[in-house]
Amino acid sequence: MGRYPFLTYSTKYLETIGSIYAEATVKELGRRLRRIGRDLKSLKEMGSIDTTDPKKMSEKEVSAYIKLLRSRGLSENGQRHSITALRAVLLYCGNP
């Protein structure tokens, strides 16, 4: 896997679902996934998580990401949207 595995898998995921959802939905999801990728990269650089590879992510990475969202004061609905997007990529990669 390349330098940015989350971004790589996110792009593949979006290509897979692109014909199923409306274009606006795919664009919004793409923005959200890019933001998640930047957040995961930042968490890795800070040493809060071990990997940004969705195939290898564990409870540690997901928990750290949720903690980051909460620390920003993001609404529960906003948190839910981001976690749902993250979960979709993890499932796409075979990581339940």
Side-chain angles (χ1 to χ4, degrees), residues 51-65:
T51 185
T52 61
D53 186 338
K55 283 189 167 189
K56 298 176 182 176
M57 288 176 71
S58 68
E59 185 178 330
K60 176 181 180 178
E61 284 76 22
V62 175
S63 295
Y65 180 64

Side-chain angles (χ1 to χ4, degrees), residues 66-83:
I66 292 170
K67 184 177 177 182
L68 175 68
L69 294 177
R70 289 182 178 155
S71 73
R72 290 183 178 158
L74 194 63
S75 70
E76 285 190 29
N77 194 40
Q79 291 177 39
R80 191 174 311 113
H81 283 295
S82 293
I83 293 165

Side-chain angles (χ1 to χ4, degrees), residues 7-92:
L7 183 59
T8 300
Y9 282 113
S10 295
T11 301
K12 289 179 182 180
Y13 171 70
L14 288 170
E15 289 170 359
T16 301
I17 66 160
S19 62
I20 299 170
Y21 293 99
E23 183 180 343
T25 301
V26 174
K27 284 183 179 181
E28 170 58 30
L29 183 55
R31 284 189 295 272
R32 188 174 299 277
L33 291 172
R34 285 189 299 276
R35 189 174 329 115
I36 292 170
R38 287 190 303 269
D39 289 342
L40 292 173
K41 180 178 177 273
S42 175
L43 287 168
K44 186 164 187 332
E45 289 170 352
M46 292 187 307
S48 299
I49 63 174
D50 297 327
T51 185
T52 61
D53 186 338
K55 283 189 167 189
K56 298 176 182 176
M57 288 176 71
S58 68
E59 185 178 330
K60 176 181 180 178
E61 284 76 22
V62 175
S63 295
Y65 180 64
I66 292 170
K67 184 177 177 182
L68 175 68
L69 294 177
R70 289 182 178 155
S71 73
R72 290 183 178 158
L74 194 63
S75 70
E76 285 190 29
N77 194 40
Q79 291 177 39
R80 191 174 311 113
H81 283 295
S82 293
I83 293 165
T84 299
L86 174 60
R87 184 171 188 268
V89 174
L90 296 178
L91 289 173
Y92 174 77

